[in-house]
Amino acid sequence: MDEVNTDSASADWTEEMSTAGPAELGAGGTDDLRSWHKWILLNVYTVLIVGIVLNVIVAAAYMKSSLLSQGKPVHQLIFNMTISDIVSCLTCQSFLIFLFTDVGQQYITTRKYQCIASVAGTHVAFDSTMAGLLLISCERLIAIAFPLQHMHRVTRTTCRIAILSMWTYLIIKNGMMFFWN
């Protein structure tokens, strides 16, 4: 029986695949990568529109209901999360336009401060979502670890201070991009 040297065969195959172009690999339609940008934008805009509509409904319910707006501190954290999601959906628009359209790329490459503002705004928006989740997680941790002290430690005032501190920190942190560039 003939023995096949698998090491040399795999090395040849690896070298072939690393130097092969999209057409040789059977990935048809990848010559023009801009052809699929419209589908990405369509999917993302669908998610963004649904996200904005649902978060506006939650914000309206929070503001209309005295039980929610005057209620427990966790409701303030949930409202903060709603606002940060709305901000994320809105600031994501400029980032997508600058990234996925020719006109947006031409516009943003010639304007330094608009580019920095777009990136900083996107970072603030997405960081605020993560920080909002962190605040809710901390509140739940205190509720589970210290159930008797939760009512006295987590008040409406401490939640407002935490939310205000979070937004201030995120704006200052991401505003540094203007000074460090």
Side-chain angles (χ1 to χ4, degrees):
M1 284 185 83
D2 291 332
E3 278 191 35
V4 177
N5 187 353
T6 57
D7 292 336
S8 67
S10 66
D12 291 341
W13 182 82
T14 305
E15 184 178 327
E16 239 177 64
M17 291 298 116
S18 66
T19 60
E24 289 89 10
L25 293 174
T30 57
D31 293 333
D32 184 21
L33 294 177
R34 297 204 187 272
S35 64
W36 51 268
H37 283 183
K38 62 183 173 186
W39 298 110
I40 289 177
L41 288 174
L42 178 67
N43 288 330
V44 170
Y45 279 124
T46 303
V47 170
L48 292 178
I49 289 170
V50 169
I52 288 173
V53 168
L54 293 178
N55 280 306
V56 166
I57 290 171
V58 170
Y62 179 85
M63 289 186 280
K64 289 284 186 180
S65 171
S66 63
L67 180 65
L68 294 176
S69 61
Q70 304 294 325
K72 297 180 180 180
V74 72
H75 296 149
Q76 290 180 341
L77 298 175
I78 293 171
F79 182 70
N80 175 54
M81 190 72 188
T82 302
I83 297 301
S84 68
D85 286 346
I86 291 172
V87 170
S88 295
C89 288
L90 292 175
T91 58
C92 185
Q93 306 292 323
S94 64
F95 183 74
L96 288 173
I97 289 171
F98 294 146
L99 186 64
F100 287 114
T101 62
D102 291 330
V103 174
Q105 288 175 359
Q106 289 173 356
Y107 175 82
I108 205 67
T109 55
T110 59
R111 290 167 177 82
K112 177 181 175 182
Y113 291 108
Q114 285 88 345
C115 181
I116 295 170
S118 172
V119 172
T122 304
H123 279 270
V124 166
F126 290 123
D127 287 351
S128 69
T129 300
M130 293 300 124
L133 283 172
L134 179 68
L135 289 177
I136 291 173
S137 299
C138 289
E139 189 271 335
R140 293 289 84 202
L141 174 71
I142 293 171
I144 292 168
F146 309 107
L148 299 177
Q149 296 176 3
H150 176 261
M151 205 166 52
H152 301 289
R153 290 182 186 248
V154 182
T155 62
R156 293 174 50 79
T157 304
T158 57
C159 282
R160 286 181 182 163
I161 291 171
I163 291 169
L164 184 64
S165 301
M166 175 200 77
W167 280 99
T168 304
Y169 169 74
L170 291 176
I171 290 170
I172 290 172
K173 179 188 91 129
N174 292 305
M176 289 295 166
M177 286 187 217
F178 287 103
F179 302 108
W180 285 347
N181 190 348

